[in-house]
Amino acid sequence: MQDQEIKNMSNIIVGLDIGTTKIAIMVGRKNKFGKLEILATAKAVSNGVARGIVANIDQTVNSIKEAVEEIKQKSNIQINEVFVGIAGQHIKSLQHRGQIVREKIDIEINDNDLDRLKSNMFKLITIPGEEVIHVIPQEYTVDGEDSINDPRGMAGVKLEANFHVITAQVGAVRNIMRCVEKANLKPKELVLEPFASAVATLDSDEKREGVALVDIGGGTTDVAIFLDNIIRHTAVIPFGGNVITKDIKSGLQILEKQAELLKIKFGSAMYTEDQENVVVSIPGLRGRDPKEIAVKNLTEIIGSRMKEIIDLVYHEIKVSGYENKLMTGIVLTGGGSQLRNLKQLVAYITGKETRIGYPNEHLSSESKDTVVSPMYSTGVGLVLKGFEYSTKENKSKNMNEKDENSQNLSGGIIDKLKEWFTEEETN
């Protein structure tokens, strides 16, 4: 594909994954068959993020700019708007029930009614410093008749619904926005990263029959449970691949970069017989003697921490109430899922069928060779979610053109952020 041809394309979506270990940018478009074609990828070391939260604005901005520059040099694509992933230990979730009373029974339930009911959830009173960022409807109830998945077209006065509500710290959200804007990018939408990873790795059967997605990142491990194509439970565990590296560093008394290399090349979540008597030699610094590391000892260090993380994941699955409804088991994704024998360890501890989730569910055949690692699941998912939001946005514009008096009650995160900044300036 020629550079000029790429530059003139208007249907490009860009995903920006601001992670604890890496800043990743994914640029994609839909081909004529509706599959995602990845045009360019780039990543930079993330120096200013800790456990999903921006700890240093300037360092994070520099990392984003570095990745943007790599995209420009690789493909000559000028990036402007981005769909930004949000995660971190400040993310919380809760269940809430809402209701509205409709005035006109002769008019069937429509999108405006659902939007009004959903927008009320954004007004929930939360802990000071927190805001609602996502609201996911579960089942609806119309005049006492429950378990309705889609009430549109029905007649009724009282419309109720159960909602899965996700909150985040206002400061953490604003810092992410500031970093993106200081990198001369426009944040089009904030997307919860487990949502993005799910779009990239899960198929429709898994989401319908019940599945737990476990995204193991550098600083956190995200859990998202799906059933009947609805997200039922989300949780963030404040441990990821970085804590394993630090355990190796302190346990074997080596440098952190050596610990990371050991984890990647020789690390395993479970001991196997082929590790017996295998020794790795690490070069000594400044004339010191090399240090010999037994792979068996390395596995013991990694395995103990991974068991702790998996136990926390399994606890979240249990408290969700959906443990016995996960017919398709557990899907592992994220950079941490590449650890050897991790799938077997998860299956052993939870008793659930387990697989590794690769972000190739919606990719074109050409892009499957480009993006092969689970570490890119969030990036690919952000691009896919970007197309979803763009489709909804276009649909909303068309509806507004037909009815100029209709009001937009979607309660999107960007609109809420604008309100926050306006309130801040007023105060």
Side-chain angles (χ1 to χ4, degrees), residues 259-278:
E260 181 68 17
L261 285 172
L262 273 178
K263 182 182 73 174
I264 294 172
K265 291 188 175 182
F266 302 99
S268 176
M270 290 181 71
Y271 171 75
T272 53
E273 290 183 1
D274 59 355
Q275 295 174 1
E276 192 69 36
N277 300 324
V278 177

Side-chain angles (χ1 to χ4, degrees), residues 102-214:
R102 304 176 66 244
E103 296 178 356
K104 298 181 180 180
I105 183 66
D106 54 323
I107 299 177
E108 64 185 26
I109 295 172
N110 55 34
D111 286 329
N112 288 336
D113 295 313
L114 302 188
D115 288 342
R116 184 155 66 96
L117 179 59
K118 182 177 177 180
S119 67
N120 288 341
M121 294 299 102
F122 286 94
K123 302 171 185 176
L124 287 177
I125 298 174
T126 57
I127 298 172
E130 292 186 353
E131 283 285 329
V132 176
I133 63 168
H134 277 294
V135 173
I136 303 101
Q138 309 283 287
E139 295 90 3
Y140 292 91
T141 301
V142 179
D143 291 345
E145 184 179 346
D146 55 14
S147 300
I148 298 172
N149 291 328
D150 187 355
R152 286 175 294 185
M154 298 179 66
V157 175
K158 189 177 182 181
L159 178 63
E160 304 171 83
N162 293 322
F163 290 94
H164 184 69
V165 181
I166 296 171
T167 65
Q169 287 181 1
V170 177
V173 174
R174 285 178 175 172
N175 285 336
I176 290 175
M177 300 293 285
R178 287 192 178 103
C179 289
V180 176
E181 289 170 350
K182 283 189 174 185
N184 302 318
L185 299 175
K186 180 182 177 182
K188 182 73 173 174
E189 186 75 57
L190 279 180
V191 181
L192 193 66
E193 292 191 355
F195 292 2
S197 299
V199 171
T201 59
L202 302 180
D203 63 25
S204 56
D205 289 336
E206 288 174 325
K207 286 188 282 190
R208 184 179 64 252
E209 300 298 333
V211 66
L213 178 73
V214 180

